[in-house]
């Protein structure tokens, strides 16, 4: 696993290890998380938000346990949103997180 991983906050979904799912990515913080991993290992830490109404979540708005997922496929739609296929790999804990360039990263 990488020493640092991008965090993808989800409002209305939970992904589990060994499961696949397709998500619709519209928020800037989520797009940045996906775009930051496409040229590398394609791994993101998917974490559920505590409150679905929060548009720009910070670290306190996220649950502390999520799933490390591999980005299997990404398709940018004409309106700028993305459809992303993910596969859950393993459960992980959100720790030592920082926000850089509108993307949350954790160790």
């Amino acid at each position: 696993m990488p020493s640092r991983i991008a965090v993808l906050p989800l409002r209305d979904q939970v992904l589990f290890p060994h499961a696949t799912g397709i998500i619709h990515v519209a928020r800037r913080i989520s797009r940045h998380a996906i775009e930051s991993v496409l040229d590398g290992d394609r791994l993101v830490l998917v974490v559920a938000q505590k409150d679905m109404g929060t548009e720009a979540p910070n670290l306190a708005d996220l649950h502390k346990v999520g799933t490390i997922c591999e980005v299997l496929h990404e398709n940018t739609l004409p309106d700028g949103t993305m459809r992303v296929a993910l596969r859950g790999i393993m459960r992980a804990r959100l720790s030592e997180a920082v926000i850089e360039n509108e993307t949350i990263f954790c160790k």
Side-chain angles (χ1 to χ4, degrees):
M1 289 294 122
S3 61
R4 179 174 120 134
I5 190 166
V7 176
L8 176 62
L10 292 183
R11 286 195 273 202
D12 57 355
Q13 282 183 282
V14 176
L15 288 170
F16 293 100
H18 311 292
T20 58
I22 295 177
I23 63 169
H24 185 81
V25 176
R27 294 184 297 175
R28 184 171 24 205
I29 192 168
S30 301
R31 284 195 319 264
H32 283 287
I34 295 297
E35 290 167 353
S36 72
V37 302
L38 290 178
D39 290 333
D41 56 19
R42 301 179 74 89
L43 297 177
V44 293
L45 174 57
V46 177
V47 180
Q49 284 184 215
K50 294 176 182 175
D51 178 6
M52 288 180 19
T54 304
E55 183 63 28
N58 60 40
L59 302 176
D61 298 319
L62 303 176
H63 287 282
K64 300 302 177 207
V65 175
T67 303
I68 294 177
C69 294
E70 178 185 13
V71 176
L72 299 175
H73 180 72
E74 170 273 326
N75 186 20
T76 302
L77 303 174
D79 64 357
T81 62
M82 303 166 96
R83 281 180 46 100
V84 181
L86 299 170
R87 179 181 61 206
I89 297 174
M90 64 186 289
R91 193 170 72 163
R93 183 169 296 279
L94 179 64
S95 65
E96 297 184 46
V98 296
I99 299 175
E100 295 176 8
N101 300 324
E102 299 186 63
T103 303
I104 301 171
F105 292 96
C106 77
K107 294 183 179 183

